[in-house]
Structures are given as C-alpha cells and as structure tokens.
Amino acid sequence: MADPGVYERFDCAPGLRLEAHERVSAIHHANMLERLDRLEAMMERMEKRLWLTVYGVVAVILAQAVQGVLVVAP
C-alpha cells in the first residue's frame, strides 16, 4: 500500500476551470499593462505639447511687451 501522505494528482473539472481562469486573468493583466504603457506615452506627448503651448503664449506676451516698450521709448 502507498504512503497515505502522498496522493496521485488527477485532473478534475474545478481544477481545470481554476487553471483556465488563471490563464485568462494573466492575459487580461498583460493587456491592461500594455494599455497603461500606451496611455502613459500618450500623456507624456500631451504634456510636451502643453508646455510648448505655454512657452509659446509666454513668448507672445513678452514680445508684445517689448514691442510696446520700443514704441514708447525712442
């Protein structure tokens, strides 16, 4: 007779469903990480555009101020 502490593995429906669920969860997790990476890259590009716009607005305001000073002072 075999040792009572050692059991032979066998496949059962709940175990197979659990393994399938774990694989699906891993796929979902990998897809979510990929989407987050793409979202982060898009946010970085948007942030660069935002700063470029801010610097452009500041440059226009400064240029108008300098032009006003040059017109007033001969």
Side-chain angles (χ1 to χ4, degrees):
M1 189 149 173
D3 186 16
V6 178
Y7 295 103
E8 184 178 328
R9 282 189 57 138
F10 64 94
D11 294 333
C12 62
L16 294 174
R17 280 188 16 199
L18 181 61
E19 287 177 15
H21 178 69
E22 288 174 351
R23 286 193 306 267
V24 169
S25 294
I27 291 169
H28 282 290
H29 185 69
N31 286 337
M32 185 175 59
L33 289 178
E34 182 180 330
R35 288 180 190 170
L36 284 173
D37 289 340
R38 283 188 286 163
L39 182 63
E40 190 172 312
M42 287 180 1
M43 287 176 61
E44 286 177 7
R45 288 195 312 257
M46 187 172 66
E47 183 180 6
K48 288 178 185 178
R49 290 179 185 171
L50 177 66
W51 281 113
L52 184 62
T53 303
V54 168
Y55 289 142
V57 169
V58 169
V60 168
I61 291 171
L62 288 176
Q64 288 179 350
V66 168
Q67 186 180 15
V69 169
L70 290 176
V71 168
V72 172

